[in-house]
Amino acid sequence: MSLQEEVEKIEKQFEVSPELLEILTNHFIKLADIGLNTQPGEHSLGLPMIPTYVTKIPNGREKGVFLAADLGGTNFRVCSVTLNGDSTFDLVQTKSKIPEDLLNGTAKELWSYLAKKIGKFVVEQHPDQCQRATNDDDHFKLGFTFSYPVNQTALNQGTLLRWTKGFNIQEVVGTDVVAELQKELDLGEIPVKVVALANDTVGTLLSHAYATGCSTNYVKQGDSVIGAIFGTGTNGCYLEPLENIGKLSDDYVSQLKEQDATHMVINTEWGSFDNELKYLPNTIYDENIDKVSPNPGYHMFEKRVSGLFLGEILRQILVELHGKGLIFGQYATYERLPHRLRTPFELDSEVLSHIEIDDSSHLKETELSLLQSLRLPTIEEERLAIQKIVRAISRRSAYLAAVPLAAILIKTKALDGYHKEVEIGVDGSVVEYYPGFRSMIRHALSLSPLTADGERKVHIQIAKDGSGIGAALCASTVV
Ligand code: BGC
């Protein structure tokens, strides 16, 4: 087979047809309903659909100074957020790249690293208040954004179900992440109280609602607003009427209703959609990635969509094409290939984003990008092939990304009603920086059962720094 024929074969495997979009959307709705009615682990096929204990969405009038700590896939951020009460905020933050050895280290190392960073930040940013904070009441309130699947049991309580993305510290699984962080803060005599735990998607939804300041109407009308992340990982949350959340006890629901609550934000953990691969497209490259991941068999949707995996899919394909003698002929064997090309997860999705839109003559930009990132020299024919493959990988990712959005909008009947429009707040490196990602999502929405008519009524907006501000907003609800 020629290089061109082989590339066409690969492109075919990455296609997501409108028929498949429909099947996947319906399947998502079904698994979401199962998840709402079963406890974690009880029905392995249903989506996790984790209640977040957030029943109020901000309206833009919240005020005060709150801290937020945000442990994501790549960085740890500590922020001090001043909510001005008019949909605006001021943010001071420090950001540190999570050290590699922490990802596989001990629980103690993780929590003490986070506590120290928080301690250093409060001393630097709020020195006066630190001196005064002698009793619990003077402690700073902190919202903790923890972007991993947690079985949340209260606003400030939740046990880690499993790690995703790069982390793999087994001792943390099954422990209460708020209590563990608090323990280290107390040991370090850091005057901070962790009052709320929020998934990054919940933070994104809340900060988007705060910034747009229109959310109370949405809740009253039972409308749907989604918060979603398409970055290192992917996930989304939305508002579900309380009576549909079968996994909450009847007593608890009545209690919430007495307090005038009508909805609760549900963290879908859609990275785990269709773990059994009933309908998700599956290639040998996806299978290889799953095998070497710390959570084989889980987060199968995420492994096809999110930034952590896009580069690795491409790397797998390049190695395979080389093995077939179709590219990089200057390297006689696999062992001779540049070390970086042989290293799993070395190829960053940022490199793909450059190749995606390269329109320079002879694809010079691509040549440079591959040289810089992988130390890999290429000829034009190879670069043309690589660009096609990159575009197939990103298109599949964005088309699949449209599935949960379409499904949730349909399930919640969000677009029913005269001139009804909805807002989706999104955050994450892929949706923010990958060229064309949002328009590809939109295109897929129009091909999905939502139809072009529905797609026009959906607004996808970047909720910048959403997870940090959202965690501060969660903290602001605790009196
Ligand atoms: C985690 C989610 C998180 C998402 C986006 C996934 O790997 O399971 O909890 O929201 O990444 O950061």
Side-chain angles (χ1 to χ4, degrees), residues 328 330-331 338 367 370-371 374-379 382-383:
F328 317 143
Q330 68 272 36
Y331 305 107
E367 181 176 24
L370 290 168
L371 263 178
L374 297 179
R375 307 280 180 268
L376 177 68
T378 47
I379 57 171
E382 291 164 349
R383 294 196 288 279

Side-chain angles (χ1 to χ4, degrees), residues 386-430:
I386 293 172
Q387 190 176 53
K388 283 191 182 152
I389 297 166
V390 162
R391 288 176 177 171
I393 296 171
S394 64
R395 194 167 44 239
R396 184 183 76 162
S397 157
Y399 276 34
L400 291 178
V403 167
L405 303 180
I408 292 171
L409 294 175
I410 292 169
K411 173 181 153 46
T412 55
K413 300 189 172 59
L415 292 171
D416 285 11
Y418 190 61
H419 286 324
K420 200 69 170 293
E421 306 212 346
V422 290
E423 304 251 341
I424 299 179
V426 292
D427 200 358
S429 51
V430 175

Side-chain angles (χ1 to χ4, degrees), residues 15-25 399 444 446-449:
E15 265 170 24
V16 179
S17 66
E19 294 72 38
L20 183 57
L21 283 174
E22 180 172 354
I23 291 171
L24 287 168
T25 305
Y399 276 34
S446 73
L447 299 174
S448 80

Side-chain angles (χ1 to χ4, degrees), residues 147-149 164-165 199-201 229 233-235 269 299 302:
S147 311
Y148 300 88
T164 59
K165 299 175 277 199
N199 185 260
D200 50 357
T201 58
I229 302 279
T234 182
N235 186 16
E269 284 294 334
H299 277 233
E302 179 163 273

Side-chain angles (χ1 to χ4, degrees), residues 153-392:
T153 39
L155 187 61
N156 63 349
Q157 217 174 54
T159 53
L160 177 66
L161 289 169
R162 76 187 73 86
W163 285 110
T164 59
K165 299 175 277 199
F167 271 105
N168 193 12
I169 314 172
Q170 281 314 308
E171 335 165 50
V172 181
V173 176
T175 62
D176 179 349
V177 295
V178 173
E180 294 301 312
L181 175 59
Q182 189 66 58
K183 214 169 21 183
E184 280 302 319
L185 289 166
D186 294 347
L187 272 176
E189 295 182 358
I190 299 161
V192 170
K193 176 124 181 74
V194 188
V195 293
L197 173 66
N199 185 260
D200 50 357
T201 58
V202 180
T204 302
L205 173 62
L206 298 195
S207 74
H208 184 252
Y210 176 79
T212 50
C214 53
S215 46
T216 12
N217 293 338
Y218 281 135
V219 182
K220 288 212 177 96
Q221 293 163 16
D223 203 341
S224 165
V225 187
I226 299 174
I229 302 279
F230 299 103
T232 310
T234 182
N235 186 16
C237 71
Y238 71 103
L239 284 162
E240 183 68 56
L242 287 171
E243 52 278 13
N244 295 347
I245 313 174
K247 68 212 291 182
L248 294 178
S249 76
D250 292 347
D251 283 354
Y252 183 61
V253 168
S254 316
Q255 204 182 313
L256 289 175
K257 285 190 169 171
E258 274 163 29
Q259 294 157 14
D260 284 341
T262 56
H263 291 67
M264 185 181 280
V265 177
I266 295 291
N267 167 15
T268 65
E269 284 294 334
W270 70 39
S272 269
F273 169 48
D274 196 15
N275 279 342
E276 59 162 351
L277 297 183
K278 194 157 178 201
Y279 300 116
L280 275 178
N282 195 25
T283 67
I284 181 76
Y285 323 108
D286 300 311
E287 281 177 16
N288 291 342
I289 287 178
D290 186 47
K291 274 191 221 137
V292 298
S293 71
N295 54 359
Y298 286 96
H299 277 233
M300 300 308 242
F301 181 76
E302 179 163 273
K303 287 173 186 159
R304 284 149 182 77
V305 172
S306 77
L308 182 58
F309 304 98
L310 301 183
E312 178 59 10
I313 298 176
L314 175 63
R315 197 194 65 83
Q316 296 260 351
I317 296 176
L318 296 185
V319 170
E320 186 195 68
L321 289 175
H322 172 259
K324 289 185 172 169
L326 295 170
I327 50 173
F328 317 143
Q330 68 272 36
Y331 305 107
T333 59
Y334 170 78
E335 285 70 30
R336 296 259 167 103
L337 283 173
H339 179 255
R340 291 187 181 187
L341 183 59
R342 284 183 284 121
T343 312
F345 293 95
E346 181 69 31
L347 186 51
D348 204 293
S349 55
E350 196 188 327
V351 178
L352 279 68
S353 72
H354 297 144
I355 301 176
E356 174 93 23
I357 46 161
D358 184 7
D359 59 357
S360 60
S361 52
H362 312 294
L363 296 182
K364 278 276 168 208
E365 302 260 348
T366 299
E367 181 176 24
L368 258 178
S369 225
L370 290 168
L371 263 178
Q372 267 169 6
S373 57
L374 297 179
R375 307 280 180 268
L376 177 68
T378 47
I379 57 171
E380 187 171 355
E381 190 203 358
E382 291 164 349
R383 294 196 288 279
L384 282 166
I386 293 172
Q387 190 176 53
K388 283 191 182 152
I389 297 166
V390 162
R391 288 176 177 171

